[in-house]
Amino acid sequence: MAKVFIDGEVGTTGLQIRERLLRRADISLISLSEADRKNAEARKAAFAEADIGILCLPDVASKEAVALCQGLDVRLIDASTAYRVDPNWVFGFPELTAGHATKIANAKYVSNPGCWSTCALALLRPLVERGLLPADYPLSIFGVSGYTGGGKSMIAEYETGDLTGSFFYAGKQHHKHVPEITVHAGLATNPMMFPTVGDYAQGMVVQIPLHLSLLPGLNVSQMRVAYVDHYKGARFVKLRSSDDLPDREYPQRLNGTNMLELQVLGDASSGRVTLCATLDNLGKGASGAAVQNMNLMLGLDEGTGL
């Protein structure tokens, strides 16, 4: 039985991970009392006992936790943005490219991706890797996510009624997921991002428009083939059939799952294509991804508990 300590288990992502792991007979959860959750010595003792430590903390606190673990045998999964472009950490998107799941399985340190970057990378990496999309193409990324992506404070604002409706943010182009998208997609320039928080709890759709006139030789068929090839054998990332593409896409459609579904919308006659990705921002976009990575690191079937 593997021992797991979730540092920050009362946060949004931590609670979701805990809920998934409590249902499993193969995992023993190490928990601290409320009084000890901020006690450095108690946390260090918990990490020392654990096989896997999962950090569900703000960036600064996450770095402090990693420092606590120096010299310990515990392996770490970090859900913050602190280490997502750190070369000493393995980026925790198993489907990123061929062989990447094995890197995660063998890693001591794994950085869980953000929900926005998971969607964007799933759409961009296969095209850039195959030379179908130039690394310096001027990309714009649009999307909407449920308010649970904003953590406990935003959830409280919506649930108390202090905040209503949807809103656009990060217009100054400093979205925290841009660096990991740029690095792990293999881009030469940062994409523009236009994220929106929707007036609903969870679920996410991300869209990336492409002008075929700026991409000579690229067509919808090539893109679909690239996705099918890239995600062949992947359990949790699928390309939606061209015969099953809706006029509307609902962000909540995959809620409660660890699935990530892709679509290629548009055709040669319009000269415009929209790449689309849908997931549960608390599932494959956060806690589900952490559990998938944990399974790989423990040598288990990656879908256990998902």
Side-chain angles (χ1 to χ4, degrees):
M1 182 179 292
K3 294 182 179 180
V4 177
F5 172 51
I6 305 169
D7 195 10
E9 67 175 21
V10 297
T12 306
T13 299
L15 285 170
Q16 291 272 327
I17 296 171
R18 177 178 170 81
E19 182 180 323
R20 285 168 165 82
L21 298 187
L22 280 174
R23 299 193 293 260
R24 292 175 55 167
D26 61 335
I27 299 294
S28 174
L29 278 177
I30 300 167
S31 291
L32 298 178
S33 67
E34 185 174 353
D36 282 337
R37 285 175 188 153
K38 294 186 179 181
N39 182 302
E41 289 304 313
R43 291 165 63 212
K44 186 170 184 176
F47 281 122
E49 185 183 350
D51 299 297
I52 300 285
I54 303 178
L55 312 181
C56 300
L57 305 164
D59 286 14
V60 172
S62 182
K63 291 178 180 179
E64 292 172 351
V66 173
L68 273 180
C69 293
Q70 295 307 301
L72 303 180
D73 290 334
V74 65
R75 301 166 74 192
L76 299 177
I77 299 171
D78 177 42
S80 79
T81 63
Y83 297 102
R84 290 179 183 163
V85 295
D86 189 319
N88 296 313
W89 287 64
V90 175
F91 190 67
F93 183 31
E95 300 88 357
L96 181 67
T97 191
H100 198 70
T102 301
K103 290 184 179 180
I104 292 170
N106 294 328
K108 183 174 177 66
Y109 296 135
V110 172
S111 181
N112 220 50
C115 51
W116 287 94
S117 63
T118 297
C119 290
L121 289 169
L123 294 169
L124 295 172
R125 179 64 183 249
L127 305 184
V128 175
E129 188 173 296
R130 288 161 176 77
L132 299 175
L133 182 67
D136 60 353
Y137 183 87
L139 289 163
S140 294
I141 301 172
F142 301 84
V144 60
S145 176
Y147 58 74
T148 50
K152 292 178 72 174
S153 60
M154 187 177 293
I155 293 170
E157 286 183 284
Y158 270 99
E159 293 185 348
T160 59
D162 291 339
L163 185 58
T164 60
S166 302
F167 64 89
F168 163 80
Y169 70 102
K172 295 180 180 179
Q173 296 304 314
H174 296 298
H175 194 282
K176 63 181 181 179
H177 292 178
V178 168
E180 64 197 88
I181 293 171
T182 302
V183 169
H184 298 295
L187 301 178
T189 56
N190 290 337
M192 300 280 285
M193 277 196 69
F194 303 92
T196 298
V197 171
D199 191 2
Y200 63 93
Q202 68 191 83
M204 184 175 211
V205 171
V206 169
Q207 295 181 319
I208 302 176
L210 300 176
H211 288 274
L212 295 181
S213 61
L214 300 178
L215 298 164
L218 181 62
N219 58 53
V220 170
S221 177
Q222 287 175 309
M223 285 184 272
R224 291 190 62 85
V225 168
Y227 289 133
V228 170
D229 176 61
H230 198 88
Y231 299 113
K232 184 178 181 180
R235 186 179 309 187
F236 297 114
V237 183
K238 301 295 180 185
L239 177 67
R240 199 159 181 179
S241 167
S242 57
D243 298 324
D244 184 32
L245 298 181
D247 290 329
R248 299 177 179 179
E249 177 60 331
Y250 296 92
Q252 305 97 324
R253 183 169 62 84
L254 296 175
N255 281 3
T257 78
N258 197 53
M259 290 303 301
L260 166 57
E261 289 193 359
L262 312 180
Q263 300 175 51
V264 181
L265 306 170
D267 54 47
S269 63
S270 71
R272 299 182 299 275
V273 169
T274 301
L275 308 177
C276 180
T278 306
L279 53 62
D280 180 352
N281 60 287
L282 295 183
K284 182 63 170 167
S287 58
V291 172
Q292 184 181 354
N293 287 325
M294 182 203 74
N295 287 337
L296 289 168
M297 294 168 75
L298 292 173
L300 305 173
D301 181 286
E302 66 175 334
T304 304
L306 295 172

